[in-house]
Amino acid sequence: MKDYQLAWKNLWRNKRRTLITAASVFFAVFFALVMRSFQLGTYDSMYKNVIESYTGYIQIQHQDYAEEPILDNSFEADPEMMKKVKSDPNVKDVVPRLESYTLAASGSRTQGVMMLGVDPEKEENLSGMRDRLVKFKLTEDAIEALKSTDLPDRTLRLLDLFRNEAYSSTGRMMLDLGISTEDSTVVLPVLRRNASFTNKYFSGSSDGEVLIGSGLSDFLKINVGDTLILMGQGYHGTSAAGNFIVAGIIKLPSPDIDKRIVYMPLETARELYAAPGLATSAVLSLKDFDDKSIDKTAVRLKTFVADPLAVKTWRELNALLLNQMEADNRSGMIMIGILYLVIAFGVFGTVLMMMAERRREFGMLVSVGMQKSKLAKVVTIEMFLMGLLGVISGIIASLPLVYYGHFRPLRFTGEYARMYEDYGMEPVMPTLLPDTYYLWQTVVVMIIISIAIIFSVRKIFRIDLISSLKA
Amino acid sequence: MKVIEIRDLHKIYKASDIEVHAVNCVNLDFQEAEFAAIVGPSGSGKTTLLNLLGGLDMPTSGQILIDGTDLSMLKSSALIDFRMRNIGFVFQSYNLIPVLTAKENIEFIMSLQKWIKKEREERSFELLKAIGLSDRTNSRPAKLSGGQQQRVAVARALASRPKFVLADEPTANLDSKSASTLLEIMEKLNHEEKITFIFSTHDPRVMKMARRVITLEDGKVVSDDVRE
Ligand SMILES: Nc1ncnc2c1ncn2[C@@H]1O[C@H](COP(=O)(O)OP(=O)(O)OP(=O)(O)O)[C@@H](O)[C@H]1O
Ligand SMILES: [Mg+2]
């Protein structure tokens, strides 16, 4: 009889107890993983939204710009240095921007906005701005028109929920309106006829054009072709004001940014703000943007990007958001901590019961000549298998949910959606695909099991033969 | 040949202020192939003496020599090993590992001793026949009667041919029929295998089957009768 064979048999001596204990581990692992997946996935998508549509992964800025984001802290790029930056193996391109807070007005409405002067070509390559142009909009008129068509009932009902929603892709719209891929060939042409939105990117010739976020267009009630007035302060305190034509409307995934963004060609911005040749930031377009590559690239750049310029990674660029998420993360960790406390008690209860029940048997085994170390090994294998059973089944059960939640994320509508948007978050809750967090959950559960194992092993080594045989 | 020598053995239990002299200056020898009963009233020290002999408990003073080895010289794991190689045990109850079959229980000590499979199986087959349970080879203890379980325990104790077998009231939980069957089997195996059996009992019928009866009173040997 091998130790593991004996352990395996012991594991099933009390099927119900083993299964209940394994089940408690299973549920804890399952819930912890799913909870964690939603939480981390939400952070991940939030970071991605902000990074991809706004800050980028690495920027070069004037070192004082982070403290005081004003035009006076802009810089004129040294061509030699920029060449060097561009020659970094992970850098595809360097995209200059001129950013300034300014006041936007139309009619009687005003809003503080972020004016972003961008190089139309480069910016398109960096963040795919052209794809973000609104292609459909469910305006009142569009919904009225659509209601008299023969769209599927489900879609007709959903229309009201997404009143005034703008879409830059058909995929997202199909998801919202519950349009299946089979229906799309019939339904999409109807939508195209009734809810299409005409739009254009910077044409390049005329320099009085701006693109604005769809949230801003709703707030200011302006549309393509309307005039937007911008009023702000230029370089070294000059006044900067002008009228612009809205050429296109852009849908950005981060509602906070979507509500406050105005894009204009870099040269137009430089002229408006009396800042020729200046930039407030140079966003790097990267080849690889996993955490490790980003950090490595930043380290390389820091060796030659010198005073007064500074290299900032997305973590520094989004410190505020990161802090918020960190606070939220802590509360999530506490929840998971409580979950694990509960299973720790469950596991310890089982172990205590098992040890009490088998005291006599252990006494007998050591009496007839089984070494305590061998007995301890058998019990260790038993408990380890029990824990593993719970962990593995928990992991397996979580996978379909986590994968489904990643590719078809939970999307809020109505009140919930508004609440999310008020906090500047996209109203979706995608999951994060299995990653190191899976490993950590497993490690934590295994630590709990190990503590229970250590407890039992100590008991075995301290067993008093005479009294255990009497028991 | 002398298997066990007991010299001036004392065991004193101290419970708060009261001292109990459970074993009081015992001197005994056991020879090869003896079949000895230890009897005496409740509390006379039978269990204590057997526990000392089995190295499960440590004497307050005195010596136990087994084939010349002083038990008190052995420390923890060496002592467990010594028990595994030299002493068979039969307890009143809960002798068997509940998750193993009769055959596996009988083979347990042999596998601790790392016997090869073939030899283990030959030996357990032989013993299962001797205890009359050839048809229950693959039954787990829960499926066996109390008497059958004790027979398996006796076979387990004997299987690896220890120097002697200790049995503390092996029949205490059995009806009289099962008790005499068990004793007959013990006697037969003692005879065939020439292994010393030392058992304690309250039962006069069991006593009658012993070839040597040692009577204890208050921890002292008051009589030691050998009949032939
Ligand atoms: N662990 C202990 N602590 C204190 N006293 C003990 C202990 N074990 C036994 N004794 C005492 O030692 C004496 C001998 O006990 P022992 O169990 O050896 O008697 P016994 O002959 O086996 O009795 P029985 O026939 O009832 O089994 C008794 O007075 C008992 O109370
Ligand atoms: Mg007793």
Side-chain angles (χ1 to χ4, degrees):
Chain A
M1 183 70 32
K2 295 268 168 27
D3 294 343
Y4 68 86
Q5 286 172 314
L6 187 57
W8 182 253
K9 290 181 185 204
N10 277 329
L11 191 59
W12 302 110
R13 66 194 288 159
N14 190 334
K15 274 200 199 80
R16 192 181 322 181
R17 185 173 60 203
T18 300
L19 288 177
I20 287 175
T21 312
S24 79
V25 174
F26 163 86
F27 280 115
V29 168
F30 176 78
F31 283 120
L33 285 176
V34 170
M35 233 162 82
R36 207 72 196 122
S37 178
F38 272 112
Q39 210 170 15
L40 295 175
T42 307
Y43 302 157
D44 201 56
S45 92
M46 223 159 340
Y47 295 146
K48 273 219 178 79
N49 284 347
V50 174
I51 291 166
E52 281 170 14
S53 62
Y54 188 49
T55 67
Y57 288 99
I58 299 182
Q59 288 191 5
I60 294 172
Q61 303 179 337
H62 188 280
Q63 61 191 7
D64 296 334
Y65 187 75
E67 275 288 305
E68 226 183 330
I70 53 169
L71 280 175
D72 291 2
N73 286 328
S74 57
F75 64 97
E76 183 164 4
D78 165 16
E80 276 306 302
M81 198 195 68
M82 285 304 152
K83 221 187 239 166
K84 241 174 134 181
V85 171
K86 240 190 259 184
S87 67
D88 183 278
N90 196 30
V91 174
K92 270 199 293 202
D93 200 4
V94 182
V95 183
R97 284 178 180 170
L98 188 73
E99 272 181 60
S100 176
Y101 287 107
T102 187
L103 205 62
S106 171
S108 60
R109 293 200 159 214
T110 55
Q111 167 84 311
V113 300
M114 172 58 74
M115 186 292 305
L116 212 54
V118 297
D119 181 316
E121 284 311 308
K122 289 185 167 195
E123 194 70 26
E124 158 63 13
N125 292 336
L126 174 73
S127 56
M129 267 179 77
R130 208 183 285 267
D131 291 338
R132 296 182 193 277
L133 284 170
V134 170
K135 300 188 183 58
F136 298 92
K137 190 163 170 121
L138 300 176
T139 57
E140 298 292 335
D141 294 344
I143 288 177
E144 272 316 300
L146 283 169
K147 283 205 165 155
S148 55
T149 64
D150 54 355
L151 285 177
D153 283 350
R154 183 180 153 74
T155 303
L156 286 176
R157 255 179 286 122
L158 283 167
L159 278 174
D160 286 321
L161 272 178
F162 296 98
R163 205 169 275 274
N164 237 353
E165 189 67 53
Y167 295 102
S168 57
S169 72
T170 50
R172 168 73 191 272
M173 181 174 62
M174 280 166 63
L175 218 61
D176 278 1
L177 297 182
I179 301 164
S180 61
T181 336
E182 300 96 75
D183 290 350
S184 62
T185 44
V186 187
V187 177
L188 281 183
V190 179
L191 283 164
R192 246 181 226 120
R193 231 173 295 124
N194 295 288
S196 269
F197 194 82
T198 25
N199 229 338
K200 71 183 201 309
Y201 195 57
F202 297 119
S203 56
S205 55
S206 48
D207 47 13
E209 287 177 339
V210 293
L211 303 180
I212 64 174
S214 70
L216 183 64
S217 100
D218 286 343
F219 184 79
L220 294 180
K221 299 192 187 318
I222 53 172
N223 226 315
V224 174
D226 291 347
T227 303
L228 179 75
I229 302 163
L230 292 179
M231 288 168 288
Q233 204 176 42
Y235 191 56
H236 286 321
T238 57
S239 88
N243 291 352
F244 298 88
I245 302 294
V246 176
I249 290 176
I250 282 197
K251 171 81 180 174
L252 291 173
S254 166
D256 207 31
I257 302 175
D258 195 48
K259 222 186 290 179
R260 299 171 179 278
I261 195 125
V262 174
Y263 287 94
M264 68 174 73
L266 184 61
E267 287 314 318
T268 315
R270 282 174 170 164
E271 208 172 292
L272 174 65
Y273 291 97
L278 294 178
T280 50
S281 62
V283 183
L284 303 191
S285 165
L286 300 183
K287 289 174 188 143
D288 294 317
F289 34 81
D290 53 288
D291 271 358
K292 224 186 239 149
S293 310
I294 292 169
D295 290 343
K296 274 193 199 145
T297 310
V299 167
R300 278 197 303 270
L301 296 178
K302 276 175 185 164
T303 58
F304 62 87
V305 174
D307 256 6
L309 299 188
V311 177
K312 306 263 173 178
T313 64
W314 66 274
R315 288 178 187 283
E316 298 159 279
L317 297 169
N318 295 295
L320 196 70
L321 180 67
L322 243 77
N323 271 340
Q324 268 173 11
M325 295 303 111
E326 196 42 54
D328 188 84
N329 191 20
R330 267 196 289 277
S331 66
M333 295 287 238
I334 290 171
M335 284 279 284
I336 286 174
I338 292 170
L339 206 61
Y340 281 140
L341 213 61
V342 171
I343 68 147
F345 277 112
V347 170
F348 281 120
T350 303
V351 168
L352 280 176
M353 229 156 67
M354 191 241 341
M355 292 302 290
E357 190 185 290
R358 286 165 71 181
R359 208 167 109 86
R360 240 202 120 101
E361 183 183 326
F362 290 166
M364 182 273 289
L365 288 169
V366 176
S367 295
V368 303
M370 188 175 193
Q371 286 295 347
K372 291 173 182 175
S373 54
K374 196 173 167 70
L375 181 55
K377 193 173 150 199
V378 171
V379 172
T380 301
I381 298 172
E382 274 173 46
M383 292 174 37
F384 184 77
L385 285 177
M386 190 177 69
L388 211 61
L389 186 72
V391 170
I392 290 178
S393 54
I395 288 178
I396 290 174
S398 73
L399 289 178
L401 210 71
V402 167
Y403 272 88
Y404 185 84
H406 184 76
F407 295 109
R408 297 292 299 269
L410 211 59
R411 202 170 277 283
F412 299 113
T413 51
E415 271 310 300
Y416 262 124
R418 199 150 303 136
M419 214 166 76
Y420 262 69
E421 295 195 354
D422 285 346
Y423 282 106
M425 304 194 297
E426 195 189 5
V428 288
M429 248 176 106
T431 56
L432 187 67
L433 289 181
D435 197 341
T436 45
Y437 73 99
Y438 261 63
L439 191 73
W440 281 113
Q441 308 300 321
T442 312
V443 167
V444 170
V445 175
M446 280 312 181
I447 287 173
I448 293 173
I449 305 272
S450 304
I451 293 170
I453 289 175
I454 289 169
F455 169 82
S456 330
V457 167
R458 271 169 62 116
K459 277 237 151 172
I460 287 171
F461 274 95
R462 289 174 173 192
I463 196 167
D464 177 50
L465 294 182
I466 304 298
S467 65
S468 68
L469 286 171
K470 252 187 225 159
Chain B
M1 202 185 99
K2 231 183 256 176
V3 179
I4 306 171
E5 277 179 72
I6 303 175
R7 295 286 165 261
D8 299 332
L9 196 68
H10 289 265
K11 178 70 188 182
I12 300 168
Y13 287 116
K14 280 199 188 87
S16 56
D17 351 289
I18 324 157
E19 283 195 356
V20 179
H21 223 129
V23 169
N24 193 351
C25 202
V26 167
N27 282 283
L28 284 171
D29 288 346
F30 291 91
Q31 307 294 326
E32 199 178 50
E34 276 201 50
F35 198 62
I38 296 176
V39 302
S42 185
S44 57
K46 303 182 291 295
T47 297
T48 308
L49 181 60
L50 286 176
N51 284 345
L52 292 170
L53 269 179
L56 302 178
D57 206 355
M58 282 296 148
T60 312
S61 68
Q63 266 190 325
I64 298 170
L65 298 171
I66 292 167
D67 253 2
T69 306
D70 187 344
L71 274 190
S72 60
M73 289 295 137
L74 299 172
K75 288 282 160 286
S76 50
S77 76
L79 183 59
I80 296 175
D81 238 45
F82 187 85
R83 286 201 296 265
M84 185 258 280
R85 300 197 182 282
N86 301 289
I87 312 174
F89 289 89
V90 180
F91 303 102
Q92 243 180 64
S93 53
Y94 297 105
N95 272 293
L96 305 178
I97 302 170
V99 297
L100 301 186
T101 63
K103 172 174 174 288
E104 288 166 337
N105 266 292
I106 293 173
E107 291 180 15
F108 187 68
I109 308 288
M110 293 188 271
S111 56
L112 287 183
Q113 291 188 4
K114 305 208 161 52
W115 287 34
I116 61 166
K117 193 172 177 213
K118 188 165 158 285
E119 287 180 4
R120 275 197 329 245
E121 289 191 332
E122 273 169 22
R123 180 72 171 142
S124 62
F125 179 77
E126 171 187 60
L127 284 167
L128 277 161
K129 212 163 82 185
I131 62 173
L133 291 177
S134 296
D135 55 336
R136 308 305 301 272
T137 307
N138 294 318
S139 301
R140 289 200 176 185
K143 294 268 155 69
L144 299 174
S145 72
Q148 290 170 331
Q149 287 181 29
Q150 288 302 79
R151 281 189 256 160
V152 174
V154 168
R156 195 258 322 261
L158 271 177
S160 62
R161 303 201 175 83
K163 299 219 164 67
F164 59 96
V165 173
L166 297 174
D168 190 13
E169 305 202 34
T171 60
N173 295 335
L174 303 183
D175 59 83
S176 57
K177 173 125 195 342
S178 310
S180 51
T181 313
L182 187 73
L183 252 289
E184 276 159 25
I185 286 171
M186 281 167 61
E187 219 261 302
K188 186 179 77 176
L189 287 168
N190 160 259
H191 190 76
E192 284 170 4
E193 310 230 341
K194 303 274 174 281
I195 291 171
T196 303
F197 268 80
I198 304 168
F199 52 94
S200 71
T201 187
H202 278 292
D203 188 337
R205 275 170 305 182
V206 171
M207 272 176 235
K208 255 186 266 160
M209 299 188 69
R211 293 197 297 278
R212 179 181 176 189
V213 176
I214 298 157
T215 311
L216 291 184
E217 249 169 58
D218 292 333
K220 289 193 179 107
V221 177
V222 293
S223 77
D224 187 350
D225 301 326
V226 180
R227 18 180 148 113
E228 226 24 80

